[in-house]
Amino acid sequence: HYNNKDSVLLTLAIIVYYLAYRLSTKNNLKYAILLGIAGGFFANMKIIGIPVWGFVVVCVLAEKIIRKKCDKKFIFNVIVASVTAIVSLYILTPAMWKDVVHYVKFGIEQAQDFRWCDYVLFNGQIVSKSLAGIPRKYLPFMIIFTTPVGILLLDLLGIVGTIVGIAKKKIDSKYLYAIYVSICALFPVGYVVIKAIPLYNSWRHFYFVYYIP
């Protein structure tokens, strides 16, 4: 079973990160509005889009603060992006119109413990969520062993390049952007691993982290 929303979520993640980068470098109201609209679509597609989008904004702010370029105009644009994202999400999600709190609570509950058949094939064995639980290594294992080698090499090259750049004290937007993109991708993965949240059918629910390279 595959859901076409997972591929769309990946596309929206790429758009969100691109617009966040453009907002960071151009500090333009246009990109703030576009980032907000993209965030609304991103969160509407899956509830995990809300914390991930929020984390993106926090990282962009952190990047500006670190570089001492966080002026009033940028803060205003971030506020515009945030308000636009909330309004866009509300308009795009009729289920929120009656009870916003209930919708968010329901979405979080379903994301943490989705209804399914209980069994998953992992590493040559049938694993039961209710009996033994899904191993914490399930998600990172599936990501590493099903991702093309070329993509993994690009990941490694990007990590090494960023470390070398930071070591040479080149604290510019390029390296900081690479850091916050990686953090925003690893944040949800790390949360699932630590909390041992059960997943099923490989890692398709996390295709949105595939843009790391």
Side-chain angles (χ1 to χ4, degrees):
H1 168 67
Y2 277 87
N3 193 325
N4 56 13
K5 290 199 304 182
D6 300 311
S7 297
V8 176
L9 197 69
L10 167 61
T11 303
L12 288 169
I14 295 172
I15 293 172
V16 164
Y17 275 90
Y18 169 75
L19 291 173
Y21 178 73
R22 296 298 289 179
L23 176 61
S24 176
T25 55
K26 299 297 182 180
N27 198 9
N28 189 297
L29 181 61
K30 175 182 70 174
Y31 290 114
I33 295 173
L34 290 175
L35 177 60
I37 294 173
F41 277 94
F42 189 37
N44 170 264
M45 195 60 56
K46 282 194 174 181
I47 196 73
I48 197 171
I50 295 176
V52 172
W53 190 91
F55 210 71
V56 169
V57 174
V58 170
C59 286
V60 169
L61 272 172
E63 183 261 336
K64 283 291 186 179
I65 292 172
I66 290 172
R67 298 178 64 213
K68 298 180 179 180
K69 293 186 177 182
C70 187
D71 55 19
K72 292 181 179 179
K73 180 182 178 181
F74 185 76
I75 293 175
F76 173 77
N77 284 334
V78 168
I79 293 173
V80 170
S82 302
V83 172
T84 304
I86 294 171
V87 173
S88 299
L89 175 61
Y90 187 80
I91 293 173
L92 291 167
T93 315
M96 296 182 70
W97 297 352
K98 185 177 181 179
D99 191 338
V100 174
V101 175
H102 174 75
Y103 170 81
V104 174
K105 182 180 178 182
F106 176 79
I108 294 173
E109 290 174 349
Q110 290 298 303
Q112 292 183 336
D113 191 14
F114 188 75
R115 58 193 186 281
W116 59 304
C117 63
D118 187 63
Y119 295 99
V120 65
L121 178 63
F122 175 63
N123 201 21
Q125 297 180 336
I126 299 296
V127 181
S128 170
K129 177 187 72 170
S130 60
L131 295 179
I134 305 302
R136 282 187 169 85
K137 64 181 179 180
Y138 178 81
L139 181 57
F141 182 95
M142 295 302 293
I143 291 176
I144 292 173
F145 285 93
T146 61
T147 299
V149 175
I151 299 297
L152 293 176
L153 290 175
L154 285 175
D155 283 340
L156 181 60
L157 183 62
I159 292 171
V160 172
T162 300
I163 293 174
V164 171
I166 296 297
K168 292 181 178 180
K169 298 182 179 180
K170 294 181 178 180
I171 311 297
D172 59 23
S173 60
K174 178 175 66 176
Y175 295 114
L176 290 174
Y177 176 76
I179 291 173
Y180 84 67
V181 164
S182 299
I183 291 175
C184 290
L186 294 174
F187 163 69
V189 173
Y191 179 80
V192 168
V193 172
I194 293 171
K195 299 289 288 186
I197 293 175
L199 299 175
Y200 68 98
N201 195 25
S202 189
W203 62 287
R204 66 180 182 83
H205 309 283
F206 280 78
Y207 281 172
F208 66 89
V209 305
Y210 195 70
Y211 57 80
I212 294 178

